[in-house]
Amino acid sequence: MSSITPQILLRAYAAGMFPMAESAEDSALHWVEPEERGVIPLDRLKISHSLKKTLRRKAFEVSVDRDFSAVIAACAEKTQDRRSTWINARIKALYTQLHRMGCCHSIECRQNGALVGGLYGVRIGAVFFGESMFSRATDASKVALVHLVARLNFGGFGLLDAQFVNPHLERLGAIAVPRAGYHKIMEPLLDRNADFFAFREDVDPGAVLAWAAPAQSSG
């Protein structure tokens, strides 16, 4: 995969594949196409009461694409809970190029000006392919995800890809979809228009909750 380019990367996503490295120190990349794909249904995000309180009191300043490089660097960091990472230097370079092309975006959470959480992912048509998230403060990455889902719903997206289901994402509503079913959902959405930037960054928390989880927004 030495000749991989941002254009090849986008075609791979459209075919249901994405790249990973064995570790941050390994320069090699390999394509992954899971038998079961993790997705977060945009109408079934689970937001706990405590997370709603965090959102309503505006514990974080939320922004979009303000510092993509810092977000992907933070996602690549090893932590006490994450001893290894699949984000190597080639991954950082490729996704930074996609960001400059307008195809890859970050959601950032800050406290007192410091970046404390966020996520990034790839956008094609009406599909957002979530890549990674990080948190240095309680609920920071969850707040970023809630803002992302609100933005996707408001902008007319049809799918939030999460790659794999893990206990953390499962608590937020992620489900596993067989490969064939995933392609059936994903492929028609690749050519559908959606607006990632229609949702304002300074929107009221009540509107964020209303668009992220309509059935729960009054709870």
Side-chain angles (χ1 to χ4, degrees):
M1 293 176 63
S2 59
S3 61
I4 187 171
T5 65
Q7 291 75 19
I8 290 173
L9 191 52
L10 291 174
R11 289 199 293 270
Y13 272 99
M17 297 181 289
F18 54 88
M20 295 185 75
E22 291 295 336
S23 70
E25 294 75 29
D26 187 352
S27 63
L29 299 178
H30 61 276
W31 294 116
V32 179
E33 186 179 13
E35 289 289 338
E36 289 193 323
R37 193 72 167 239
V39 303
I40 298 177
L42 291 173
D43 60 346
R44 280 183 273 167
L45 182 67
K46 296 178 181 178
I47 307 176
S48 68
H49 289 295
S50 63
L51 182 55
K52 288 179 187 177
K53 290 179 181 178
T54 299
L55 283 154
R56 287 181 174 132
R57 64 184 173 88
K58 296 185 177 181
F60 305 100
E61 176 196 357
V62 181
S63 59
V64 178
D65 286 347
R66 188 185 298 179
D67 199 342
F68 179 86
S69 296
V71 170
I72 194 170
C75 288
E77 288 178 355
K78 296 178 182 178
T79 67
Q80 187 172 4
D81 297 325
R82 184 174 57 195
R83 301 297 180 131
S84 63
T85 174
W86 52 268
I87 302 173
N88 63 9
R90 290 182 67 197
I91 291 281
K92 290 180 187 176
L94 281 166
Y95 287 83
T96 299
Q97 290 179 68
L98 286 180
H99 172 65
R100 290 171 181 160
M101 292 165 55
C103 302
C104 196
H105 305 285
S106 60
I107 307 287
E108 305 111 7
C109 289
R110 291 178 175 81
Q111 280 184 328
N112 301 318
L115 184 66
V116 294
L119 57 83
Y120 76 95
V122 175
R123 171 178 58 89
I124 304 177
V127 183
F128 191 90
F129 302 88
E131 281 296 309
S132 187
M133 59 174 57
F134 79 99
S135 188
R136 296 169 179 160
T138 301
D139 285 343
S141 62
K142 293 179 183 177
V143 167
L145 178 63
V146 172
H147 273 258
L148 173 66
V149 171
R151 179 172 293 272
L152 298 181
N153 279 326
F154 190 86
F157 284 75
L159 176 64
L160 173 53
D161 177 277
Q163 296 183 344
F164 303 103
V165 175
N166 58 39
H168 172 67
L169 291 178
E170 195 169 27
R171 286 191 291 271
L172 291 165
I175 60 173
V177 178
R179 182 186 293 173
Y182 172 78
H183 279 270
K184 187 175 181 179
I185 298 167
M186 185 241 334
E187 290 172 0
L189 295 171
L190 297 173
D191 295 321
R192 196 173 90 182
N193 290 328
D195 189 350
F196 187 77
F197 295 102
F199 203 63
R200 298 195 327 271
E201 294 181 38
D202 61 348
V203 72
D204 180 84
V208 174
L209 285 167
W211 281 101
Q216 299 185 59
S217 59
S218 60

